[in-house]
Amino acid sequence: MRRQAALDFKNGRVNLFHGSGGQAMEQLIDELFVKAFANEMLSAKNDQATFELPPGRVVMSTDSYVISPRKFPGGDIGSLAVHGTVNDVAMSGGRPLYLSAGFIIEEGFALSELREIVLSMAEAAKACGVAIVTGDTKVVERGKADGLFINTAGVGVIENPELSISAAGARPGDKILINGFLGDHGVAVMSQRPGFGFKSDLRSDSAALNSLVAAMTEVCPRIHCLRDATRGGVASVLHEIAIASGVGIELEESELPIREQVLAFCEFIGIDPLHIANEGKLVCFCPAEDADALLEVMRAQPQGTDAAIIGEVVDDSGRVTIRTEYGSTRMVHHLMGEPLPRIC
Amino acid sequence: MKYVSEFRDKDRFNKLLQQIEQEADPSRDYHFMEFCGGHTHAIFRYGIAQRLPKHVEMVHGPGCPVCVMPSGRIDQAIALAHDPRVILCSYGDMLRVPGSGRNSLLKAKGEGADVRMVYSVMDALAIAEQNPEREVVFFAIGFETTTPPTALAIKTAQQRELKNFSVLCNHLLTPPAIRHILESPEVRELGTVSIDGFLGPSHVSTIIGCQPYQYFVEEYQKPVVVTGFEPVDLLQGILMLIRQHNQGIFEVENQYRRGVTELGNVKAQMLMAECFEMRTRFNWRGLGDIPYSALRIRSEFAEFDAELRFSLEEPVSREHKACQCGAILRGVKKPKDCKIFGKACTPETPVGPCMVSSEGACSAYYHFGPIEVQVVEK
């Protein structure tokens, strides 16, 4: 059988054959995905991965990644697709182990960019100790997708039977902690979009939080809730927890860690930093007596050096309020739809 | 000078609050209207209304260009957007505003219309240059703050001989609206609203200066203090109004001296005058027809006027009957007085324009209050 030429990763483009199930697709999988993700399960080229899990409760999560621009300061759609799902699994207190990766690629997509993204995924997975063990590739006609969409699913295990972390677990008296500055990701991405002309050295906070969570649950297995504050920002996460737990939350405005640049950007376009997306930030609810110890543990971790206690659970009202720096209290609103910039 | 932090200083804020408490005569009531939606938003965001003495009340005015855009003009933009030749561009918060029948530009986009959100009118110009085979229409809205950039875009389009760019001009003027609030017969029908002074819109005044308000202080004997948007600015502006009211004087004062001069930005004014002329009347949402309160494109730039290019007729507006935005924009009613507030009308399903923009009074009430909370002394 005649051997076909290797993929041209410099100038080549994805075409419909790369998703057709034939030789071209096999070549793409072999020369790109299998090579980059490099593990036995993927190399076996079955349509599924078979593995044994350590004892404990199994956790599973999935998420799809659609972002513009695909590459931004501090990350890209590939690393984001790993971090996001790893974090979703980790927020249960579970240890993420395996990921799947599904690619929906628009016809004409540059192979060079695809390789860059896949290598970024591979590096991110390696750094947080998970393996990408199964996947899928689809190519759609030009105009039917915005370049590239990635879906990842993650499987992990909660090994400590004492852990009971849930959105419904917050209790009056709980302290609320965050592991660092909020809004960096959303502003880093938005400021790269055409039309803004907003110059900053802000980088996305996109990061895997599984090792941070492992350190936190080890010292404080009584953590009530953990949630990564992605789309909709910290405000949306707090509203979800307030509703699920039936509790009222009060934030302390002066304690919110927000960078000057993020504040300036938000001021400029009229969006609340509490509504800006993060990709490496978690919100944690814990009994008040554990808060200081937990804060210390978080600050000792690379993903938590700027951790802070930002508020507490005050009652059972189901609402989220903020004590302003000016001695007043106001509602924190639950975002509806996309935040749209104001006119002037 | 850092320009922001000193105007957010808590100590200064608290000192000003103390001064207001000392100087606001408890035997009087003070009703001050903030015309500008940016002020309304800031008053809620910083919880300023909560901290003011009870007899110092802020009345929310109509100064949100999104809120006062009549449904007929939005219907006009939606119809244009559905024209397959057209790419319709506008600013972000305009896209959600309902026209008649709760339609909006965002819904039109979902139905296949080519609607694009832009951050600047120059982005629309760039889209026109990149798409020579399409008609790019910029749905221009806003007060004097956003008008000069539109004028500049029209002039640039003329210089570049762009054949596919036009502007659906809905720029509004601030002073006629303030005058209308003070003297319109509707105010008498809706109930009287006592206004003892105005916080003047400072962003608008960076363009038009302080001078246009001189008329109010002379004609209506109402003080005007042009005021910035930071918490210290707002309290300073309110204190200046209290002092004038206490002394029985009516003057235009400029609290926002770091951005506003007596005459404003003359270059921008000349640019506006070159490209635009007065419409004899314009229908404001909730306020009705206000004479000489809006701008249209001058005949010298007729080729860039979307109304002429697409032979658009004067639109008819049909507002929702239950919506009380008209009374709210005049300061006669509060959002909570409206029967559909927070029920049929929410930021997700806005019926009236005040619920759409983050600068609308209903939206500010919905998002930031009112909540019965204990004021915390720090």
Side-chain angles (χ1 to χ4, degrees):
Chain A
M1 195 170 141
R2 206 172 128 229
R3 188 174 168 75
Q4 59 194 348
L7 282 174
D8 179 2
F9 281 113
K10 197 174 172 194
N11 301 307
R13 293 191 172 270
V14 174
N15 60 48
L16 289 171
F17 291 159
H18 289 122
S20 65
Q23 267 191 7
M25 190 167 106
E26 202 178 328
Q27 187 182 18
L28 182 69
I29 291 169
D30 281 348
E31 292 181 23
L32 182 57
F33 299 121
V34 171
K35 208 168 161 187
F37 299 149
N39 61 71
E40 281 179 16
M41 275 178 266
L42 201 61
S43 303
K45 291 205 275 180
N46 292 314
D47 257 352
Q48 67 290 118
T50 310
F51 45 76
E52 289 192 5
L53 289 168
R57 282 170 289 159
V58 175
V59 190
M60 184 175 175
S61 183
T62 184
D63 209 338
S64 299
Y65 299 86
V66 175
I67 187 164
S68 173
R70 285 182 292 274
K71 191 170 180 182
F72 43 84
D76 57 50
I77 189 172
S79 54
L80 194 64
V82 171
H83 295 153
T85 298
V86 162
N87 291 346
D88 286 345
V89 171
M91 292 307 131
S92 65
R95 179 159 67 98
L97 296 165
Y98 302 112
L99 293 183
S100 72
F103 295 83
I104 296 172
I105 313 166
E106 187 179 355
E107 180 186 17
F109 196 80
L111 279 170
S112 57
E113 189 183 348
L114 184 64
R115 184 166 69 163
E116 203 179 319
I117 288 165
V118 168
L119 291 177
S120 168
M121 282 182 86
E123 194 184 331
K126 193 176 171 191
C128 58
V130 298
I132 299 171
V133 293
T134 185
D136 178 53
T137 308
K138 292 280 183 298
V139 179
V140 295
E141 286 171 34
R142 191 185 280 270
K144 295 282 171 65
D146 186 18
L148 174 70
F149 303 145
I150 302 177
N151 171 276
T152 50
V155 174
V157 171
I158 304 172
E159 289 160 301
N160 182 348
E162 284 178 57
L163 294 185
S164 174
I165 298 170
S166 140
R171 297 286 173 265
D174 279 1
K175 292 286 183 192
I176 305 165
L177 295 85
I178 192 159
N179 61 319
F181 291 98
L182 35 140
D184 291 3
H185 172 77
V187 174
V189 171
M190 278 193 275
S191 58
Q192 295 297 306
R193 289 185 184 151
F196 264 123
F198 188 85
K199 290 196 178 88
S200 84
D201 52 9
L202 265 184
R203 291 171 64 79
S204 165
D205 61 352
S206 180
L209 301 173
N210 50 333
S211 55
L212 173 67
V213 173
M216 289 166 70
T217 51
E218 194 178 328
V219 73
C220 181
R222 292 196 300 168
I223 287 172
H224 289 153
C225 298
L226 278 177
R227 189 64 80 85
D228 54 342
T230 53
R231 267 188 313 166
V234 169
S236 297
V237 166
L238 295 178
H239 273 283
E240 283 164 24
I241 292 172
I243 293 163
S245 299
V247 296
I249 289 167
E250 189 170 80
L251 297 178
E252 196 66 55
E253 190 172 38
S254 58
E255 299 302 323
L256 292 174
I258 308 174
R259 293 183 206 277
E260 286 273 331
Q261 288 188 53
V262 171
L263 276 177
F265 182 87
C266 290
E267 199 71 33
F268 183 61
I269 63 167
I271 292 177
D272 190 333
L274 288 167
H275 289 130
I276 301 273
N278 312 274
E279 287 295 343
K281 292 297 166 321
L282 60 79
V283 174
C284 168
F285 287 63
C286 72
E289 58 269 29
D290 294 338
D292 288 336
L294 200 48
L295 191 65
E296 204 175 312
V297 170
M298 289 167 82
R299 286 179 173 168
Q301 293 290 318
Q303 302 301 342
T305 45
D306 299 302
I309 298 173
I310 58 170
E312 59 190 338
V313 177
V314 285
D315 54 32
D316 59 0
S317 65
R319 71 186 179 201
V320 182
T321 57
I322 188 164
R323 295 210 302 187
T324 74
E325 295 186 70
Y326 305 98
S328 53
T329 306
R330 65 166 169 83
M331 300 285 279
V332 173
H333 81 262
H334 200 169
L335 188 65
M336 295 190 183
E338 279 288 301
L340 294 174
R342 65 164 178 235
I343 183 166
C344 63
Chain B
M1 192 177 183
K2 289 177 181 167
Y3 291 106
V4 174
S5 56
E6 58 267 61
F7 299 100
R8 293 186 179 176
D9 184 87
K10 276 177 283 184
D11 291 339
R12 282 192 193 188
F13 181 90
N14 286 326
K15 274 183 194 153
L16 281 163
L17 209 56
Q18 277 175 7
Q19 276 178 284
I20 287 174
E21 277 161 8
Q22 282 163 11
E23 295 188 32
D25 182 347
S27 66
R28 285 179 175 188
D29 284 329
Y30 300 81
H31 306 278
F32 301 129
M33 176 177 270
E34 82 277 1
F35 178 88
C36 174
H39 281 149
T40 306
H41 184 79
I43 284 167
F44 279 96
R45 177 177 161 190
Y46 300 114
I48 285 171
Q50 264 181 51
R51 302 296 316 271
L52 288 172
K54 288 218 167 3
H55 57 299
V56 178
E57 193 197 357
M58 299 311 295
V59 181
H60 316 306
C64 164
V66 170
C67 298
V68 293
M69 196 49 53
S71 60
R73 298 252 162 207
I74 297 163
D75 292 342
Q76 210 171 40
I78 292 170
L80 264 181
H82 277 298
D83 183 331
R85 293 172 295 167
V86 168
I87 299 173
L88 192 116
C89 303
S90 195
Y91 296 125
D93 48 3
M94 195 64 229
L95 304 188
R96 265 207 311 246
V97 186
S100 308
R102 289 195 169 190
N103 213 349
S104 69
L105 284 167
L106 214 55
K107 279 190 183 170
K109 187 174 192 290
E111 288 160 8
D114 196 346
V115 176
R116 302 194 192 175
M117 182 181 81
V118 291
Y119 301 103
S120 141
V121 58
M122 295 316 256
D123 296 344
L125 209 62
I127 291 170
E129 285 178 319
Q130 289 153 14
N131 297 273
E133 76 292 356
R134 305 281 300 277
E135 285 284 340
V136 173
V137 181
F138 178 64
F139 185 30
I141 71 155
F143 292 99
E144 291 88 339
T145 331
T146 53
T147 311
T150 307
L152 189 64
I154 291 172
K155 281 197 71 178
T156 310
Q158 193 181 50
Q159 281 157 13
R160 294 184 191 170
E161 298 180 357
L162 268 182
K163 299 294 175 203
N164 65 330
F165 176 77
S166 59
V167 171
L168 187 56
C169 180
N170 289 283
H171 283 300
L172 303 170
L173 299 170
T174 313
I178 301 181
R179 189 170 58 236
H180 175 83
I181 286 166
L182 288 167
E183 63 183 21
S184 79
E186 288 89 346
V187 170
R188 289 192 289 277
E189 283 167 25
L190 289 164
T192 51
V193 51
S194 171
I195 298 174
D196 303 309
F198 287 94
L199 285 183
S202 55
H203 285 173
V204 164
S205 291
T206 57
I207 307 296
I208 66 172
C210 292
Q211 213 176 32
Y213 304 115
Q214 200 58 42
Y215 168 80
F216 296 103
V217 299
E218 288 164 10
E219 182 71 18
Y220 301 102
Q221 302 196 330
K222 304 283 183 194
V224 176
V225 176
V226 175
T227 305
F229 294 93
E230 299 301 336
V232 166
D233 289 325
L234 282 159
L235 287 193
Q236 262 176 358
I238 292 166
L239 181 61
M240 288 158 86
L241 283 174
I242 287 171
R243 285 176 175 166
Q244 285 204 47
H245 195 52
N246 285 350
Q247 292 166 32
I249 55 173
F250 331 103
E251 287 175 357
V252 180
E253 283 188 282
N254 182 6
Q255 182 279 333
Y256 197 66
R257 278 173 296 181
R258 65 188 185 278
V260 169
T261 59
E262 181 64 18
L263 295 178
N265 184 336
V266 177
K267 203 172 168 187
Q269 290 168 24
M270 285 170 70
L271 193 62
M272 283 163 63
E274 190 184 345
C275 289
F276 302 111
E277 61 189 8
M278 292 269 205
R279 291 179 191 268
T280 50
R281 64 184 184 85
F282 190 87
N283 183 266
W284 291 50
R285 194 165 196 159
L287 298 180
D289 282 352
I290 305 182
Y292 301 103
S293 64
L295 299 171
R296 70 173 175 218
I297 296 168
R298 280 189 182 278
S299 56
E300 295 91 310
F301 299 94
E303 61 185 308
F304 302 103
D305 187 342
E307 286 176 53
L308 299 175
R309 189 187 278 248
F310 295 93
S311 309
L312 302 178
E313 289 177 7
E314 179 73 23
V316 179
S317 297
R318 290 187 303 277
E319 314 304 353
H320 195 286
K321 281 181 187 165
C323 175
Q324 298 281 297
C325 282
I328 292 161
L329 289 168
R330 288 184 169 87
V332 177
K333 287 190 176 176
K334 296 246 186 281
K336 63 184 178 187
D337 299 327
C338 177
K339 283 181 185 165
I340 56 172
F341 172 80
K343 295 169 190 150
C345 184
T346 67
E348 203 172 27
T349 56
V351 174
C354 297
M355 188 58 95
V356 179
S357 164
S358 65
E359 295 183 359
C362 294
S363 169
Y365 262 76
Y366 188 92
H367 288 147
F368 297 139
I371 46 171
E372 301 306 321
V373 288
Q374 195 181 357
V375 173
V376 184
E377 290 292 339
K378 287 205 169 184

